[in-house]
Amino acid sequence: MQTILGANGVIARELSHHLRSHTDRIRQASRSPRQVNTSDDLCTVDLLDADATAKAVAGSDVSYLVAGLQYDHRVWQEQWPKVMRHTIDACKRHGSALVFFDNVYAYGRVDGVMTEQTPYNPCSRKGEVRARIATMLMEEARRGELRAMIVRSADFYGPGAVLSLTHATVTERLKAGKTPQWIGNAKAVHTFTYTPDAGRTLALLGNTAAAYGQVWHALTSKEPMTGEEYVRIACTLAGRPYRLQVAPRWLLSIMGLFVPVLRENMEMLYQFEHDYRFDSSKVEQAFGLTPTAYRDGIAATLLG
């Protein structure tokens, strides 16, 4: 049995598809789980409940923590340490390996390329939380008390990735006949992980014994993508003339006074004002993988 903690999201869905190559027993666990594959088991769980988390993990060879929480730093500060502690304890209790799907917030602003060796230097409240829970997990692994790994991705895009920045600012606006938008510096390099590649990476690493005890970056194209180029490709594929609106920081600050999600995004704006380069050479070289090209990924995203 392999269990997905935080079922229903886009990463959980992609992971579910790819896990079929490794197991025919998949458990979808969340507050309102749904089947992705017809043979999936369903388990209702609140990861803030330690006993419920333990029941969800019971009988699992591998558990994947791909849950998301409300995008609010206060929620993250209160709830993420509890979710991680409950998941670690549940996996230790039932002898399950643990694969944690993480982002790059713990790295903070990086001048250069983000790799698995990049030190934690968070410059946001959300980044501080991510650094704390990642450290908690890998300390357990180093002590030999838990088989665990971290798999990180860049900001992602892909079919059905409705919470991604590019969904709201590019995909949906093109479908509605509107001009695509961007935030920060549209000329800065910004790497994106294609969600099917992220799911493929998680399934492969979770079923590779030698991968545990390490941090990995999810399979991601090295093409030097910028906001302008992303929108240009999307416009071409959608049969629309290239146009782009860029929201300046001052306007976002004002809008953030009235829109909570924008207010929460302000501390992360550095990721779009400066180059954001993410490297997945480690997994590519270890398994001979090739990431999806942006043009192919954007085409599939527009159709999704």
Side-chain angles (χ1 to χ4, degrees):
M1 176 71 74
Q2 300 198 20
T3 295
I4 299 174
L5 300 169
N8 299 353
V10 63
I11 299 300
R13 184 171 66 248
E14 296 295 348
L15 170 60
S16 299
H17 291 316
H18 287 283
L19 277 180
R20 289 181 298 182
S21 299
H22 303 277
T23 180
D24 59 358
R25 298 190 64 205
I26 300 171
R27 176 183 293 152
Q28 306 285 350
S30 70
R31 285 192 172 95
S32 301
R34 297 188 298 270
Q35 285 186 320
V36 176
N37 311 301
T38 56
S39 61
D40 290 349
D41 290 338
L42 301 182
C43 177
T44 301
V45 61
D46 179 353
L47 296 176
L48 293 171
D49 183 324
D51 291 336
T53 303
K55 290 178 182 177
V57 168
S60 303
D61 300 309
V62 183
S63 298
Y64 301 84
L65 180 57
V66 298
L69 296 179
Q70 180 184 345
Y71 202 70
D72 183 308
H73 72 276
R74 292 160 298 188
V75 173
W76 281 32
Q77 288 167 341
E78 177 188 355
Q79 296 186 4
W80 259 123
K82 293 178 182 177
V83 168
M84 182 58 76
R85 184 73 263 161
H86 294 166
T87 304
I88 289 172
D89 290 346
C91 288
K92 289 168 65 175
R93 176 177 173 181
H94 292 290
S96 174
L98 176 56
V99 180
F100 174 44
F101 183 70
D102 198 8
N103 58 34
V104 299
Y105 290 8
Y107 295 150
R109 179 184 167 186
V110 178
D111 293 321
V113 180
M114 290 177 274
T115 72
E116 290 86 348
Q117 286 72 48
T118 298
Y120 295 165
N121 186 29
C123 56
S124 66
R125 292 165 296 190
K126 298 184 190 69
E128 290 171 354
V129 173
R130 286 289 183 165
R132 177 182 171 188
I133 62 175
T135 300
M136 182 192 308
L137 175 61
M138 296 312 291
E139 284 180 349
E140 295 275 358
R142 279 191 289 271
R143 287 196 297 266
E145 298 180 7
L146 176 70
R147 292 178 61 231
M149 73 173 81
I150 294 174
V151 180
R152 290 200 169 93
S153 85
D155 286 340
F156 51 77
Y157 77 107
V162 297
L163 297 181
S164 65
L165 172 89
T166 56
H167 178 80
T169 61
V170 181
T171 304
E172 286 300 288
R173 291 187 66 83
L174 281 175
K175 288 182 177 180
K178 299 178 180 179
T179 298
Q181 298 175 328
W182 206 257
I183 61 173
N185 178 6
K187 296 182 182 298
V189 172
H190 194 100
T191 307
F192 290 93
T193 299
Y194 185 49
T195 48
D197 284 350
R200 178 186 178 192
T201 306
L202 282 166
L204 176 61
L205 291 172
N207 287 278
T208 302
Y212 285 88
Q214 302 179 56
V215 174
W216 297 84
H217 278 181
L219 187 63
T220 301
S221 175
K222 291 184 177 61
E223 299 168 74
M225 186 56 56
T226 65
E228 287 183 343
E229 185 60 17
Y230 188 102
V231 171
R232 193 180 305 278
I233 292 172
C235 286
T236 298
L237 291 171
R240 296 278 305 283
Y242 170 72
R243 293 193 180 90
L244 174 62
Q245 298 173 345
V246 180
R249 176 181 273 269
W250 64 265
L251 178 59
L252 292 172
S253 296
I254 293 175
M255 294 171 64
L257 296 174
F258 308 98
V259 183
V261 70
L262 283 177
R263 183 164 61 248
E264 284 294 324
N265 267 309
M266 289 305 296
E267 70 170 355
M268 308 310 304
L269 195 56
Y270 71 89
Q271 295 184 313
F272 287 89
E273 293 177 328
H274 307 280
D275 284 349
Y276 171 107
R277 298 177 183 269
F278 179 92
D279 183 89
S280 64
S281 294
K282 179 179 175 180
V283 75
E284 293 172 45
Q285 294 169 6
F287 296 94
L289 302 178
T290 301
T292 301
Y294 279 110
R295 187 177 184 87
D296 295 336
I298 294 171
T301 300
L302 291 172
L303 292 172

